[in-house]
Amino acid sequence: MSEPKPFMHFSVIRDHRQTAKVEHKLIDIILLTICAVLAGQDDWKGIYHFGESHLRFLQLLGDFSGGLPSVSTIARVMGMINPTRLQTCFIEWMKSCCELAEGEVVAIDGKTVCGSYDNSRGLGTIHMVNAFATENGVSLGQEKVYEKRNEIIAIPKLLDLLDVSGGLVTIDAIGCQKKIAQKVLDKNADYLLAVKGNHGKLGQAFDDYFHMGMLQSHDGDTYSTQEKSRGQQETRLALVNDDLSVLGDLEYDWPGINTMGIVVSIRQQGDVAHESEVSVRYYISSKALGVKTLLSATRSHWLVESMHWILDTEFGEDGSRKRADDRAENFARIR
């Protein structure tokens, strides 16, 4: 039986087993693992039991003429797969079934796989940097690092692998780097980067420009929304500025910059908002953003956090203790 179209992307993965001893096709083991993880299984034994209960279904998609592989075979074979090759196959799969809408937010953010550290090999926990297409609701790809600070290195590598043309790439403050901004532009996309106080002159320029009174007397556009939930009211206010002369020489330091954005969030219970419930976030973008688009895009970015929440609550990622060979990384990619 030929592999169905969605799984043909994995047929290029090299099988390192001795051909004469192979009873179960590599593509079948990958198929079984993907389906079982989608169904909520978080260990090799659970994957095997899923296969027992759904063998007829799996045979509609794959071969499985030799029945099911054992628990140890599943774990061993998945640990032999090159993680980079698996990553490439997943990205090609997503490209074939997920087309970005013009201006769609692609949120890039990292998540630590807490149980993946391996003291015996001197390796810290795996940190996966994810690119999440917010409108499509899928992860486009991931890149692995061993420390959060290395996200700066991982983000350009991940962008090199992806087709984000026409999208709006949003990245938290750790990715607010000139080289990353240029990389996004090189991929025929726009960037929306968060700016924090640790960004030196750029953060100071925002501080010098913005004051809370501007939310009521700003010369340009402003926009606000209000939501109530569980007795708490949250007001979000956004303003944009396209007069970049307020940045001084910094205007020319950032490639393609078109917009300064400011989003203020005020949470309150009762009639009075306390200072501790007010947060101010700064952004720069290569796109000429309106205030509604700015507010929508910054909120869309945090949809990647909902993906991280699902990884922990539905797939038990933080509780996983897979550390041997490449199993932890491959399992994280499949999740």
Side-chain angles (χ1 to χ4, degrees), residues 62-127:
D63 183 13
F64 295 93
S65 57
L68 285 174
S70 66
V71 175
S72 60
T73 297
I74 297 169
R76 177 173 56 84
V77 172
M78 291 304 298
M80 293 168 65
I81 294 174
N82 181 285
T84 302
R85 174 64 71 176
L86 183 65
Q87 153 81 323
T88 302
C89 291
F90 265 109
I91 288 175
E92 292 303 315
W93 187 16
M94 289 301 100
K95 284 180 181 177
S96 71
C97 63
C98 172
E99 184 175 348
L100 290 183
E102 185 68 25
E104 178 172 353
V105 171
V106 177
I108 295 182
D109 194 33
K111 181 186 183 300
T112 301
V113 184
C114 293
S116 61
Y117 62 87
D118 190 347
N119 289 334
S120 66
R121 294 195 294 168
L123 299 178
T125 51
I126 291 174
H127 195 74

Side-chain angles (χ1 to χ4, degrees), residues 85-245:
R85 174 64 71 176
L86 183 65
Q87 153 81 323
T88 302
C89 291
F90 265 109
I91 288 175
E92 292 303 315
W93 187 16
M94 289 301 100
K95 284 180 181 177
S96 71
C97 63
C98 172
E99 184 175 348
L100 290 183
E102 185 68 25
E104 178 172 353
V105 171
V106 177
I108 295 182
D109 194 33
K111 181 186 183 300
T112 301
V113 184
C114 293
S116 61
Y117 62 87
D118 190 347
N119 289 334
S120 66
R121 294 195 294 168
L123 299 178
T125 51
I126 291 174
H127 195 74
M128 302 295 288
V129 180
N130 295 284
F132 187 71
T134 58
E135 188 171 321
N136 282 276
V138 296
S139 174
L140 299 176
Q142 311 87 27
E143 185 70 22
K144 180 193 74 173
V145 290
Y146 278 110
E147 292 184 34
K148 182 174 176 61
R149 63 183 179 181
N150 289 334
E151 283 188 31
I152 295 173
I153 300 171
I155 291 171
K157 291 181 179 179
L158 180 56
L159 286 169
D160 276 335
L161 298 171
L162 303 177
D163 180 6
V164 294
S165 179
L168 179 62
V169 178
T170 64
I171 311 175
D172 203 1
I174 196 170
C176 188
Q177 306 287 329
K178 295 167 188 173
K179 290 183 178 179
I180 291 177
Q182 185 61 58
K183 175 65 72 173
V184 173
L185 295 175
D186 292 343
K187 297 294 290 187
N188 195 33
D190 284 299
Y191 62 77
L192 177 62
L193 306 178
V195 180
K196 288 190 176 177
N198 59 351
H199 285 91
K201 294 180 180 179
L202 183 60
Q204 186 61 53
F206 269 92
D207 285 338
D208 293 342
Y209 167 72
F210 174 71
H211 56 85
M212 294 296 288
M214 292 174 64
L215 297 175
Q216 295 181 341
S217 61
H218 179 48
D219 291 337
D221 291 338
T222 60
Y223 178 70
S224 65
T225 62
Q226 287 188 335
E227 291 181 2
K228 288 185 177 180
S229 177
R230 299 179 181 179
Q232 178 175 272
Q233 177 173 291
E234 182 167 9
T235 303
R236 297 182 182 90
L237 306 100
L239 61 86
V240 297
N241 174 43
D242 57 10
D243 177 11
L244 303 181
S245 63

Side-chain angles (χ1 to χ4, degrees), residues 22-84:
V22 171
E23 296 182 22
H24 307 282
K25 290 183 177 181
L26 176 61
I27 193 69
D28 282 350
I29 295 174
I30 296 173
L31 166 62
L32 167 61
T33 303
I34 291 173
C35 291
V37 171
L38 280 170
Q41 302 302 324
D42 62 357
D43 58 31
W44 308 117
K45 187 177 291 186
I47 290 171
Y48 174 80
H49 289 315
F50 171 88
E52 280 187 314
S53 302
H54 299 84
L55 182 57
R56 291 185 64 183
F57 163 75
L58 292 167
Q59 287 171 335
L60 294 174
L61 298 175
D63 183 13
F64 295 93
S65 57
L68 285 174
S70 66
V71 175
S72 60
T73 297
I74 297 169
R76 177 173 56 84
V77 172
M78 291 304 298
M80 293 168 65
I81 294 174
N82 181 285
T84 302

